[in-house]
Amino acid sequence: MIGIVLCAVLCLAYVNGANDNFKGVATLYGSGTTSYRKALGWATVTTLCGSLLTLVLAAGMVKTFSAKGLVPDAIASSPSFLAAAALGGMATVLFATLVGLPVSTTHALTGALIGAGFVAASQAVNLRVLGKNFFLPLLISPLLSMTLCLVLYPLGRCLGRFFAIDRPILATAAPEEAATPSGLDVMHFLSAGAVSFARGLNDTPKIFALLLTAKAAGTLWGLGMVGTAMAVGGLLNARKVAETLSHKITRLNAGQGLVANLTTAILVLGASRLGLPVSTTHVATGGLFGIGVVTGTARARTILTILLAWVTTLPLGAALGALAYLALRG
């Protein structure tokens, strides 16, 4: 069973990378600031740095996703329960990745923990912990992201040419306007790197917690394996989700991308430090929604499809987590 936990967690880390790794750099690719490959390379390096610093900067997240307090300790440390949570979360994110939809690994894993927990513990699931530690941060984070973008965007415009917020979209700009100021490029890259770093810092402990609780790997080996699996998943299977995030939600230029990235980095880094399980997906995509709304370029059909995927992620993860637990117990 320990071997099953290890394989399931590494598969979960792989699909997490495939679905999530590009979210931090989507604005770089979508605004035409850089190519897909360069953006992906930058995302891989900065995400891995965040993953490796998990225990230094986000130890509280490991505790939250160990499931202790959510279900009785005897169940929370059971390899079959932990394997079921990993399998349920992995299957949910894998399906979304195959169809190119950016979904939350946090939602999928939370759902799988709930589903497996209700099958394993029934009346012993702590609903207060569920609401306080899981549901509340997940519900509030995308709303905060949209609000911050709506506030920061007009503030950025006041800085005028320095941030280049009102420059034409790079893909359609006139040749003499197509070159982005070098200072803006640097700031845009740094902001994208900050988002990717924050994502690695926020997502790695959620996945690593399953390995640590099951005692399936040592601390350093476990972090290294999870971080590597996330990086490989992003390098090999990020393209479909990348296209959705970069080109199908809204048109944006480099300055607008910078605003969205700063919003995401602030919220996710703060939440990671406080041990709050916010979804990087919801925060980053919520920022793009906010830019689309304020500029009038939001694509409603794509946004509605993504919102529908978000609504179904948690119940699907719960159902798959429950089924996985029943199968493993049997």
Side-chain angles (χ1 to χ4, degrees), residues 53-263:
L53 287 175
T54 288
L55 293 182
V56 177
L57 299 176
M61 197 75 68
V62 177
K63 182 179 179 180
T64 298
F65 275 81
S66 67
K68 291 185 177 179
L70 179 64
V71 294
D73 288 355
I75 294 173
S77 59
S78 164
S80 57
F81 170 78
L82 297 167
L87 289 170
M90 180 272 295
T92 304
V93 179
L94 175 61
F95 175 75
T97 303
L98 292 175
V99 297
L101 289 174
V103 297
S104 167
T105 301
T106 306
H107 263 194
L109 183 54
T110 299
L113 287 168
I114 294 168
F118 271 109
V119 173
S122 187
Q123 304 299 322
V125 174
N126 191 327
L127 298 180
R128 186 181 64 82
V129 171
L130 180 63
K132 178 183 176 183
N133 291 352
F134 291 90
F135 282 167
L136 191 60
L138 292 173
L139 289 173
I140 291 176
S141 56
L143 298 176
L144 284 176
S145 179
M146 289 187 66
T147 303
L148 274 178
C149 272
L150 294 174
V151 171
L152 290 176
Y153 181 76
L155 289 177
R157 289 187 64 182
C158 293
L159 298 178
R161 294 180 180 178
F162 182 75
F163 276 115
I165 296 294
D166 291 324
R167 290 178 66 87
I169 307 300
L170 295 183
T172 59
E176 65 273 12
E177 297 174 319
T180 309
S182 58
L184 178 62
D185 274 346
V186 171
M187 293 177 67
H188 195 182
F189 264 91
L190 289 175
S191 69
V195 174
S196 295
F197 178 87
R199 196 200 73 73
L201 192 66
N202 194 265
D203 278 4
T204 303
K206 301 168 188 173
I207 300 170
F208 170 66
L210 302 176
L211 277 184
L212 191 65
T213 306
K215 300 180 180 179
T219 301
L220 294 180
W221 276 104
L223 277 178
M225 287 190 292
V226 169
T228 301
M230 288 167 60
V232 173
L235 289 172
L236 298 182
N237 290 107
R239 190 77 193 221
K240 284 188 176 181
V241 175
E243 291 296 334
T244 299
L245 286 167
S246 301
H247 298 131
K248 296 180 181 180
I249 293 175
T250 184
R251 298 169 69 236
L252 77 164
N253 61 27
Q256 293 158 357
L258 174 61
V259 170
N261 287 345
L262 289 175
T263 299

Side-chain angles (χ1 to χ4, degrees), residues 25-81:
V25 297
T27 61
L28 291 175
Y29 180 45
S31 64
T33 301
T34 191
S35 66
Y36 172 80
R37 289 182 178 230
K38 288 180 180 178
L40 183 60
W42 181 232
T44 301
V45 171
T46 50
T47 298
L48 189 58
C49 289
S51 296
L52 295 178
L53 287 175
T54 288
L55 293 182
V56 177
L57 299 176
M61 197 75 68
V62 177
K63 182 179 179 180
T64 298
F65 275 81
S66 67
K68 291 185 177 179
L70 179 64
V71 294
D73 288 355
I75 294 173
S77 59
S78 164
S80 57
F81 170 78

